[in-house]
Amino acid sequence: MDPNDNSRLTIERATADDVETVADLWVRLARDQRRHDSYVRADANRETMRDTLAAHQVNDGLLVARDGETVVGFASFSVERGSLQLDATRGVLSNIYVVPAAREQGVGTALLEAVEDELASQGAEVVVLEVMAHNEAARRFYERKGYETYRVAMERDLGDDRSENDTHSKEDG
């Protein structure tokens, strides 16, 4: 893609024929996320994600970015359908990916804006997403687009010797 020519770029709903290509792109995304400490196994989960993406294509939202006829990115999203009553209807951006050769050319921005438009048309009032804590480029991208941190996930490796980190003294027992 020519960085100065977005005239060939289109963002559109994925078709059933796009699902295999998007599943392959999801594998690339998952492999990339391993560099940022993701536990998701890319290749082992391809078929499960293919089915999930196919369901998004039919029921929720699956968009593709095309440079001419070539898919250069995708986004999957839905309106949250939880059992709890909330003060706002939330849209969830579950995945967004742009192939490396098409980055820094407005593709990610175009996908994100299309997702926001689609979710707003489905009644969402806010959009939530997750980003790996160590993925600084992704965090900067979303911050530039007006996204703010509202929840922080924390983890602890249970394989470590936990006795040295125990906050309770032995006398508390």
Side-chain angles (χ1 to χ4, degrees), residues 5-164:
D5 179 18
N6 275 345
S7 64
R8 295 169 37 101
L9 180 67
T10 58
I11 306 295
E12 58 193 27
R13 288 191 166 275
T15 67
D17 291 339
D18 292 323
V19 172
E20 290 298 328
T21 299
V22 172
D24 290 340
L25 292 179
W26 180 88
V27 168
R28 291 173 68 179
L29 166 65
R31 285 180 185 156
D32 184 56
Q33 292 304 298
R34 300 286 285 194
R35 293 183 303 124
H36 303 290
D37 300 327
S38 172
Y39 297 121
V40 176
R41 295 180 179 166
D43 297 296
N45 287 302
R46 185 197 184 281
E47 292 309 306
T48 299
M49 278 308 299
R50 192 205 84 61
D51 293 345
T52 299
L53 291 163
H56 272 286
Q57 188 267 325
V58 172
N59 299 318
D60 298 309
L62 183 62
L63 300 177
V64 292
R66 295 186 200 280
D67 177 14
E69 297 298 314
T70 304
V71 175
V72 295
F74 79 95
S76 58
F77 57 93
S78 60
V79 173
E80 186 175 51
R81 294 176 184 87
S83 58
L84 299 176
Q85 296 292 321
L86 303 175
D87 288 332
T89 301
R90 297 192 301 192
V92 178
L93 174 58
S94 47
N95 293 288
I96 190 168
Y97 180 75
V98 176
V99 299
R103 292 181 185 163
E104 303 298 327
Q105 299 175 40
V107 178
T109 296
L111 275 168
L112 183 60
E113 289 173 355
V115 166
E116 291 171 347
D117 290 346
E118 287 280 337
L119 287 170
S121 74
Q122 294 176 31
E125 299 165 81
V126 297
V127 179
V128 297
L129 58 87
E130 290 185 3
V131 62
M132 298 302 296
H134 298 295
N135 190 340
E136 294 295 330
R139 292 176 67 179
R140 282 191 307 271
F141 171 77
Y142 291 118
E143 288 168 356
R144 284 193 311 267
K145 304 303 178 195
Y147 286 74
E148 299 175 350
T149 301
Y150 85 101
R151 178 181 286 175
V152 175
M154 300 175 78
E155 73 173 18
R156 179 178 182 192
D157 184 342
L158 296 179
D160 289 344
D161 180 10
R162 294 184 292 163
S163 63
E164 67 187 46

